[in-house]
Amino acid sequence: MRSEDVAVLTRAVSPNGRMRSRGWETPMKAHNAVAASLVTIAAPTVQKVRWSAIAFTLILVAAFTAASGWSSLTRYEIMGTGYLPRSVVPLFLLIVLINAGLRFFSPSLALSRTELLFVFAILSSIAAVSGQEFANHFYLNLLGLVYYSSPQSQWFNAFTPHLQPYLVPSLNFRDPAILWAYEGMPEGARLPLSEWLVPLLVWTPYLLGIYALSLFLCLIFSRQWEEHERLLYPLTQVPLELSGSDERPCPTFLFRSPLFWLGFIAAALPYALRALHLYFPSIPDPQPQRNSGILFPSGPLTAFNNLELHYYPEMVGIAYLLSSEVGLSLWLFPFIRRSEVAARMAMGMDMYHAEFLTFQSVAAYLVMAASLLWVARGYLKETFVATLRLLAKVVTFFARRMENSTHLNAPTEAKALLGTIVVFAGLLAWAKWVANVNLSWTIMLLLGLLVTGLVVARVVAEAGVYIYSPPFRVYQVIFDAFGKNRIGARNIVLLTAMSWAQLRSTATMATGYFVNSLKLGSLCGLGRLTTAGWILVAVFVAMIVCHVTFPTVIYSYSVPKLSWWAQTSSLNTANLIGQYLTTSRPLTPHHWWGFIIGAATCWLLIKLRLSFVGFPLHPIGFITWFGWPLDRYWLSVLLGWALKAVVLRYGGFSVFQKAKPFAYGLVVGGTTNLTFWILLRLLFPTSDVIIRD
């Protein structure tokens, strides 16, 4: 870890000497807390990762990206799903076991615990690159903009007039690079990959810049959340336990625990039975994904119909590791949301519930982001001042013709903020002079990325939600708020295309992965800046692999033979853009009331949590309450929360700690078993998927 990252840890201590360090407080600066005192903690030993371990990690990144891309396109089973990526966990477990053998037979080849955690941090940080929020959208949608501008489409000539020719493989829908993707390649024809060379060279700086912007955002806030607010980072507990220690590199404690294997079996059994049923229908199907169906035939209570009753054992294990108020809020708020819909129906408002709830979520995100900035205001002020000093040093450094390289030493946060400014400016330049997009709308789009990215990072760092997604997309909020007449058709088309990396939704937004990886880097002594640098290298490697894998798979299979989702992805996107180009949807008082109520509710929850120790509801529950993930995960969260509540009530904290191996077993067993069947289905397809994401 870099010395500037760990030299001094400032804590706020109450007059009675007790630590104040729960979420939504900032025990950071003495001038912000009258009763504060400084506590200095010695910096841990700086750890290093050998080049051989780095090379091994990057090879794994390339292999994982290729396999994950093939799986997502052909079967739509995304191996990188979840902020604790489902297929990274079993891969890491395998590496740990092999490494334990190397420790015994060839110690020089074995990885240290720091290197093991480095492998996990880097792999998990790129897990979603080849899935949602980039690769699954980018290539198909670039093709779709041209193919669905053809005369046989209802959107004839609607998209291509707004595209620069170097942004797509071709502007002619009859070109093999476009036509063969949808209608198949002729016998013996060569893959038209050469026509992708120019657009990929043009798009890659922008795409890498979006990931860099997200990473710098996480770097700016990582020390505040890790050291000052002491967030839980529950998803880091699993790799920490699996990695063992340098003295005992194999996690013998877990493997010798009957509770671990009990949890492993409890998680693996339903997935195994479900998969075996797909191959052998005579085996009963446990149906881990059920639906309550119609509970109430009419009236306001119909809002509670069709409850998703899904069992995700890995989420049960994660929920056990959460704080009690977070666990309670995650499963309770989806019911509060349905209660609100029921109340609206009782008052005679039977339409537009989704839009009303969506604008509540938009407002909640803005209030949440504002509160995070306010809580960290002292920390951010120091960071800003340090950045100005760094900028002055940079000017002096070059003015003196780089006489002394040590002249540029500065806190990591200052470097991250300076990097944010530089990358933000670079993205604006790309949008203006390459894509030819209006700068005002681009600024709004990128600020939307920063707001949503910050909130997602906070939710994952504090709540450890396996995966969640709000009902809005940043660019759609802009389109809804300002309309086609103000934004213009060209900007609508291009802003949508620019949103296929990280801006489409937060279901697998990179900031959630990055904050966990930075935390692991801190815990294993690498330092955030070192970890961040290798994350960015790994993202670039994954992106290059995607540039080869995805077009190859698309042309080899053709869109009609891809997975159920990939078959309609580009068509759905074309329809979405076409609707914004042809339909005006002005905001009404209905939308604004939703916005006002959402902002007030989120503010009140934050205020109550700050004002009353032990307040049982967490604002994260409101942030995540509307969207398909929590609708599916609520039951699993309830089971994990209830298990923890029972253990704490009748066994106390010591029993809760002793029962953690059961939770780890649920997480490892669920992800390992599911990954095994996903890989098997790639070789031996079945008529249905194991689970639907």
Side-chain angles (χ1 to χ4, degrees), residues 61-70 72-73 126-140 193 196 200 204 207 211 538-555:
V61 165
F64 183 90
T65 301
S68 179
W70 179 33
S72 62
L73 271 182
I126 59 90
V129 171
S130 56
Q132 297 284 11
E133 309 322 318
F134 168 56
N136 261 358
H137 301 288
F138 177 71
Y139 306 94
L140 289 169
L193 299 181
W196 281 89
L200 291 181
T204 297
L207 299 171
Y211 280 102
V539 168
F540 178 72
V541 170
M543 197 175 295
I544 297 302
V545 173
C546 286
H547 286 347
V548 176
T549 302
F550 274 75
T552 300
V553 173
I554 291 170
Y555 290 120

Side-chain angles (χ1 to χ4, degrees), residues 199-477:
L200 291 181
L201 286 174
V202 171
W203 276 101
T204 297
Y206 170 79
L207 299 171
L208 191 62
I210 289 292
Y211 280 102
L213 192 66
S214 302
L215 182 58
F216 287 145
L217 177 69
C218 294
L219 264 178
I220 291 171
F221 282 87
S222 57
R223 187 202 298 272
Q224 166 72 12
W225 293 352
E226 292 178 24
E227 299 178 0
H228 302 149
E229 296 187 50
R230 298 299 184 91
L231 300 186
L232 191 58
Y233 288 87
L235 297 181
T236 62
Q237 296 181 45
V238 174
L240 285 172
E241 291 295 330
L242 288 178
S243 62
S245 65
D246 284 327
E247 293 74 23
R248 294 188 301 174
C250 184
T252 53
F253 170 73
L254 280 184
F255 291 163
R256 291 177 182 174
S257 170
L259 285 175
F260 175 81
W261 294 111
L262 181 62
F264 192 100
I265 294 171
L269 191 60
Y271 286 154
L273 290 175
R274 165 67 178 163
L276 288 171
H277 169 78
L278 296 179
Y279 287 104
F280 309 100
S282 60
I283 296 177
D285 185 358
Q287 296 182 4
Q289 294 182 304
R290 299 170 180 259
N291 188 287
S292 68
I294 303 300
L295 300 175
F296 304 96
S298 62
L301 292 181
T302 55
F304 292 91
N305 287 339
N306 296 311
L307 289 171
E308 303 286 358
L309 305 174
H310 292 191
Y311 174 60
Y312 297 91
E314 58 273 22
M315 193 66 235
V316 176
I318 290 170
Y320 181 84
L321 303 174
L322 303 180
S323 63
S324 297
E325 65 271 21
V326 169
L328 171 65
S329 300
L330 288 178
W331 71 260
L332 182 60
F333 267 96
F335 284 90
I336 296 176
R337 185 197 80 219
R338 290 177 180 266
S339 299
E340 180 180 308
V341 173
R344 284 169 51 84
M345 295 171 67
M347 292 186 291
M349 294 180 284
D350 293 332
M351 300 176 64
Y352 306 115
H353 301 306
E355 290 186 6
F356 188 77
L357 294 169
T358 295
F359 273 79
Q360 287 190 53
S361 296
V362 172
Y365 261 64
L366 292 173
V367 171
M368 174 79 83
S371 70
L372 293 175
L373 295 175
W374 176 256
V375 165
R377 61 193 182 279
Y379 169 86
L380 293 174
K381 180 181 177 181
E382 287 185 347
T383 299
F384 181 73
V385 171
T387 303
L388 292 179
R389 291 172 180 167
L390 174 61
L391 189 59
K393 288 181 179 180
V394 169
V395 174
T396 304
F397 180 71
F398 283 101
R400 295 180 178 179
R401 298 182 181 180
M402 299 178 284
E403 295 175 357
N404 186 1
S405 61
T406 61
H407 186 64
L408 293 181
N409 285 342
T412 294
E413 296 76 18
K415 295 176 181 178
L417 181 55
L418 184 59
T420 299
I421 296 170
V422 171
V423 171
F424 198 98
L427 292 172
L428 291 180
W430 186 94
K432 175 66 175 178
W433 287 295
V434 177
N436 194 24
V437 184
N438 180 276
L439 279 184
S440 299
W441 304 119
T442 304
I443 291 172
M444 196 172 296
L445 186 74
L446 295 178
L447 289 178
L449 168 65
L450 294 177
V451 169
T452 54
L454 179 62
V455 174
V456 169
R458 179 64 179 220
V459 170
V460 175
E462 189 165 358
V465 178
Y466 186 64
I467 181 174
Y468 87 100
S469 176
F472 66 88
R473 299 168 183 172
V474 173
Y475 64 97
Q476 286 184 258
V477 173

Side-chain angles (χ1 to χ4, degrees), residues 2 29 123 172 195 320 352 379 424 465 470 486 492 495 506 527 554 594 617 624 672 674:
R2 296 177 63 88
K29 289 179 60 63
L123 274 178
N172 182 0
E195 296 189 51
Y320 181 84
Y352 306 115
Y379 169 86
F424 198 98
V465 178
R486 289 185 182 179
I492 287 178
L495 288 174
T506 63
I554 291 170
L617 296 181
T624 60
T672 300
L674 191 56

Side-chain angles (χ1 to χ4, degrees), residues 51-69:
W51 285 106
S52 58
I54 293 172
F56 172 68
T57 303
L58 295 180
I59 291 172
L60 286 177
V61 165
F64 183 90
T65 301
S68 179

